[in-house]
């Protein structure tokens, strides 16, 4: 008689349970990765927004000071000319540094990674343990495709932003009270 090419049912059950555990573990790993990435991007975004505001306000202030006729007697003309020149440079610098583009792109990516974090966590806690293993694997694959798309951006937060993110996460800033052990 021919031997069964399938593993015995008990082995299949063990394999399915192991596969389910791996899907849950991978979803949790990706959720944690998204937590660190989104937090670093949000920290960096705060800094970039400050510089954006500076690049908007500085030319207004410098141009206003240079245009004050009251200062013509108090300051040499060359100082006023330099103030006006520097004020005129700010828009070109902001455009060259693509600050507005950076703000928009960092905002979009931080939101995408935060959404992915929640989706991976939900998959690991609510979906994967209770649905068909094929469905859980399909959902994990779809989320990984979204993750790949988010990662394909050339935006990378600086190391100091990741360090700041790690400090906040370790300090519990992103922990939920409902998850605390009573």
């Amino acid at each position: 008689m021919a031997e069964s090419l399938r593993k015995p049912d008990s082995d299949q059950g063990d394999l399915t349970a192991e596969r389910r555990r791996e899907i849950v573990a991978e979803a949790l790993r990706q959720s944690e990765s998204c937590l660190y990435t989104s937090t670093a991007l949000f920290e960096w975004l705060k800094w970039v927004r400050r510089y954006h505001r500076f690049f908007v306000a500085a030319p207004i202030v410098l141009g206003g000071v240079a245009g004050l006729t009251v200062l013509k007697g108090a300051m040499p003309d060359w100082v006023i000319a330099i103030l006006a020149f520097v004020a005129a440079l700010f828009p070109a610098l902001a455009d060259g540094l693509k600050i507005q583009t950076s703000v928009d792109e960092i905002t979009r990516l931080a939101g995408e990674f935060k959404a992915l974090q929640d989706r991976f966590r939900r998959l690991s806690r609510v979906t994967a343990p209770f649905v068909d293993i094929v469905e859980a694997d399909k959902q994990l694959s779809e989320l990984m495709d979204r993750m790949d798309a988010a990662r394909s951006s050339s935006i990378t937060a600086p190391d100091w932003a990741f360090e700041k993110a790690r400090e906040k996460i370790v300090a519990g800033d992103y922990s939920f009270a409902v998850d605390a052990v009573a």
Side-chain angles (χ1 to χ4, degrees):
M1 268 198 163
E3 286 184 43
S4 174
L5 296 176
R6 285 184 342 159
K7 293 189 178 206
D9 287 340
S10 64
D11 286 346
Q12 286 292 74
D14 291 345
L15 287 175
T16 299
E18 179 61 26
R19 187 169 168 205
R20 186 178 307 278
R21 279 191 297 274
E22 287 302 317
I23 289 171
V24 167
E26 183 60 24
L28 285 171
R29 277 191 289 274
Q30 295 305 324
S31 178
E32 184 177 356
S33 175
C34 288
L35 170 63
Y36 278 87
T37 302
S38 66
T39 305
L41 289 170
F42 281 124
E43 288 300 316
W44 187 30
L45 181 60
K46 290 180 208 175
W47 184 82
V48 171
R49 281 184 174 155
R50 277 187 221 117
Y51 275 90
H52 179 257
R53 284 191 292 270
F54 172 76
F55 273 86
V56 168
I60 294 168
V61 171
L62 290 173
V65 169
L68 288 175
T69 56
V70 175
L71 296 177
K72 290 195 184 222
M75 280 189 207
D77 288 342
W78 63 270
V79 171
I80 294 171
I82 288 174
L83 288 174
F85 176 71
V86 171
L89 286 179
F90 273 91
L93 285 171
D95 187 49
L97 295 172
K98 297 184 183 341
I99 291 175
Q100 184 56 48
T101 302
S102 294
V103 168
D104 295 342
E105 185 69 4
I106 295 167
T107 301
R108 184 188 69 74
L109 283 174
E112 177 67 13
F113 278 105
K114 185 55 73 180
L116 281 166
Q117 173 196 340
D118 292 340
R119 299 291 297 180
F120 278 117
R121 182 180 37 76
R122 185 174 187 276
L123 174 63
S124 72
R125 300 288 190 206
V126 177
T127 306
F130 307 107
V131 300
D132 177 64
I133 193 73
V134 174
E135 178 61 25
D137 191 41
K138 178 183 170 213
Q139 288 185 25
L140 179 63
S141 292
E142 289 170 359
L143 287 173
M144 290 304 296
D145 289 344
R146 277 183 62 188
M147 177 80 102
D148 290 342
R151 286 177 172 164
S152 70
S153 173
S154 63
I155 299 286
T156 304
D159 288 341
W160 65 262
F162 279 103
E163 291 303 319
K164 179 85 170 160
R166 183 185 350 256
E167 289 172 15
K168 291 183 83 153
I169 292 165
V170 169
D173 288 9
Y174 294 91
S175 298
F176 294 99
V178 72
D179 294 331
V181 177

